[in-house]
Amino acid sequence: MASPLTEHAASSRPDIIETDIPARLDRLHWGRFHTLVVVALGITWILDGLEVTLAGAIAPALKESPQLHFSNAEVGFASSAYLTGAVLGALFFGWLTDRLGRKRLFFITLAVYLVATAATSLSWNLASFALFRFLTGAGIGGEYTAINSAIQELVPARYRGWTDLVINGSFWVGAAVGAAGSIVLLDPALLPPDLGWRFAFFIGAALGLIIFFMRLWLPESPRWLMTHGRPAEASAILGDIEEKFRARGERLAPSPLPTIRLRTRRFTPLGEVAKTLFRTERRRTLVGLSLMAAQAFFFTYALVLTDFYGIRTDDVGWYLLPFAAGNFLGPVLLGRLFDTVGRRAMIATTYGLSGVLLAGAGYLFAIGVLSAMGQTVAWMVIFFFASAAASSAYLTVSETFPLEVRALAIALFYAIGTGIGGVVGPVLFGALIDTGSRWSVFGGYLLGSLLMVAAAAVEWSWGIAAERKPLESVSRPLAAAD
């Protein structure tokens, strides 16, 4: 039965409530509810991985397309358009997520993605392709903010690190699907070159439609409801979840549980958001920006294979599959350590090791001692650690800021980090690859390496030990009345 503390004001002041909702959420063991949340929400990363990998895998097909005939620089421009859309979409939808709630934005952002990715398949020139990729990115960027917020607020504290890393790492499951799909769809023996890449984008649209129906059962975040003056609704939702656990034989910790006193509010003013991020929590802001910028520095792997190793367009997917496997296994196998060894040690280690390995592999590429297979193995090893590091960046910015600004904080860090690394990266590497010089490309790799090592140093110095702690303990809510 729901605790009565969540049902009424904690004093004579109607704007203050006392609630045990955070403690009730954290006392739950892993159950079917959490698995369904992870599947329905976490699949967004699979969609993003699918989109990014398809864009990379079809890059050679876009260059060979009789209608589009893109250059390497234009391929990079289109990739940057996608990431620019993700940046702006994250900011706009992140602002709405903190105001309107997590659940409403699930459907708005997914609808934007669905329409835009289907429209991409109908592109007729660079401008239309870039526009539709921009809108696709906007939908995905909005998904990141709403979903990272909700997952953090619904998953018990002791599972939060591993869960977040695995979900973010599932980006590479989508990458594997995209790579496998590209093997078939880009095979000229099966489909004309200008038709295969168009069909590829329908894969994302089809998956998005399935996800839309999967999310119909999802509840609003009880933590968001409790800070927006709706504690009774929050308690009812959580009570229903608890009853399902009891029905399956789950024994819940008895009440009374620790409570928190909150001042209810309809929204958080942007001025208070800015004050929190850049004055009150400026050190955490520096950590978040460092981690996000370093992990977002992408490069165009498919073009390296085709331009420097002579791999055929329809064979690129075979090389992307093991690369994606290494990226997914990293968060899965290392994720538990982020909850046991701790955040600071693991984040600093994975970032630092990734940077050192990236510089070493880049040098071997520059002197020409790696074959295409050797290059793929090198990337598998590097990104086994780098993928866990990148996932931990989202974990960090999701759990180290107050609930009231969580979605907008995620959006801001994602936007700045992706703007620095993700938008500039594809254009830079496209231009470097166009030079035909391995040493020029190595310079780009070295820049990415330096960013990773610098982020490791920042995390080690100022990172937060948030493992196994309630969100409200890691970062006190702005609405706290005590």
Side-chain angles (χ1 to χ4, degrees):
M1 181 176 294
S3 168
L5 287 170
T6 59
E7 302 291 346
H8 56 74
S11 70
S12 59
R13 292 186 56 180
D15 63 325
I16 295 181
I17 63 168
E18 183 172 359
T19 177
D20 61 359
I21 282 177
R24 290 167 63 192
L25 284 165
D26 283 337
R27 73 174 172 174
L28 298 175
H29 293 286
W30 192 269
R32 181 171 176 268
F33 167 75
H34 299 108
T35 301
L36 293 174
V37 167
V38 167
V39 172
L41 296 182
I43 202 167
T44 288
W45 281 261
I46 295 178
L47 285 178
D48 192 22
L50 175 68
E51 287 292 325
V52 172
T53 304
L54 280 178
I58 69 170
L62 295 174
K63 292 165 61 178
E64 298 168 5
S65 168
Q67 186 173 12
L68 300 182
H69 197 62
F70 288 170
S71 65
N72 284 335
E74 288 172 330
V75 170
F77 172 75
S79 297
S80 293
Y82 173 83
L83 291 169
T84 301
V87 165
L88 297 179
L91 288 172
F92 176 67
F93 291 122
W95 174 72
L96 286 180
T97 298
D98 279 333
R99 286 183 170 240
L100 303 181
R102 307 343 185 185
K103 185 171 182 177
R104 289 186 187 179
L105 270 295
F106 293 159
F107 296 100
I108 295 174
T109 54
L110 187 58
V112 171
Y113 165 80
L114 269 170
V115 174
T117 197
T120 304
S121 65
L122 305 176
S123 303
W124 57 92
N125 57 19
L126 177 61
S128 62
F129 187 86
L131 173 63
F132 296 140
R133 294 300 291 160
F134 172 87
L135 295 174
T136 302
I140 289 292
E143 286 270 290
Y144 269 113
T145 58
I147 289 169
N148 264 307
S149 302
I151 289 173
Q152 291 287 335
E153 293 164 13
L154 291 171
V155 172
R158 59 190 176 280
Y159 306 114
R160 196 169 62 234
W162 180 80
T163 302
D164 206 79
L165 259 72
V166 170
I167 289 174
N168 280 278
S170 67
F171 173 98
W172 296 100
V173 175
V177 173
S182 70
I183 292 171
V184 176
L185 296 173
L186 299 182
D187 186 348
L190 297 177
L191 292 169
D194 203 39
L195 195 59
W197 68 265
R198 297 180 186 274
F199 283 165
F201 286 108
F202 277 114
I203 297 176
L207 280 176
L209 190 60
I210 295 172
I211 297 168
F212 192 92
F213 290 102
M214 289 175 60
R215 290 183 180 173
L216 292 174
W217 64 271
L218 287 174
E220 179 57 88
S221 164
R223 277 183 160 106
W224 182 86
L225 288 168
M226 75 182 186
T227 61
H228 286 73
R230 297 156 66 180
E233 185 178 345
S235 184
I237 289 173
L238 187 49
D240 182 61
I241 294 170
E242 290 170 334
E243 284 304 315
K244 291 177 181 177
F245 272 79
R246 292 189 181 95
R248 292 181 174 85
E250 177 77 21
R251 297 183 65 183
L252 303 180
S255 297
L257 297 170
T259 62
I260 185 172
R261 285 162 47 87
L262 300 168
R263 291 184 178 89
T264 61
R265 52 172 66 187
R266 290 195 308 111
F267 62 89
T268 301
L270 290 177
E272 189 173 3
V273 174
K275 179 183 177 182
T276 300
L277 295 179
F278 300 111
R279 183 183 300 176
T280 309
E281 302 291 359
R282 57 182 178 274
R283 181 172 289 183
R284 296 187 181 194
T285 295
L286 176 60
V287 172
L289 288 176
S290 301
L291 298 181
M292 292 296 286
Q295 66 84 32
F297 203 77
F298 291 115
F299 53 90
T300 311
Y301 182 52
L303 292 180
V304 171
L305 291 173
T306 56
D307 287 33
F308 288 97
Y309 292 104
I311 303 301
R312 286 173 30 189
T313 300
D314 51 309
D315 286 335
V316 167
W318 293 111
Y319 293 86
L320 292 178
L321 282 172
F323 177 66
N327 274 275
F328 180 60
L329 289 174
V332 171
L333 298 179
L334 298 177
R336 294 290 185 190
L337 299 178
F338 285 77
D339 283 324
T340 54
V341 174
R343 304 284 200 260
R344 287 179 63 245
M346 287 305 301
I347 295 174
T349 298
T350 51
Y351 267 87
L353 189 56
S354 300
V356 171
L357 291 174
L358 179 60
Y363 176 74
L364 295 178
F365 166 77
I367 63 177
V369 301
L370 294 177
S371 63
M373 185 56 67
Q375 184 73 66
T376 302
V377 172
W379 293 134
M380 285 180 65
V381 174
I382 294 167
F383 282 86
F384 177 84
F385 299 101
S387 181
S391 298
S392 70
Y394 289 98
L395 170 64
T396 299
V397 300
S398 299
E399 68 183 359
T400 55
F401 292 94
L403 183 148
E404 296 90 340
V405 301
R406 180 166 293 126
L408 195 53
I410 295 169
L412 181 64
F413 291 118
Y414 174 80
I416 295 176
T418 303
I420 294 172
V423 174
V424 176
V427 174
L428 173 61
F429 275 100
L432 292 175
I433 290 170
D434 274 340
T435 67
S437 168
R438 287 175 176 257
W439 287 100
S440 295
V441 177
F442 170 59
Y445 293 149
L446 195 58
L447 175 59
S449 172
L450 292 173
L451 287 173
M452 295 294 284
V453 172
V458 171
E459 170 65 26
W460 182 253
S461 299
W462 296 318
I464 303 298
E467 59 274 6
R468 301 183 303 279
K469 296 179 180 178
L471 290 173
E472 292 73 21
S473 173
V474 176
S475 184
R476 182 173 180 268
L478 298 179
D482 295 326

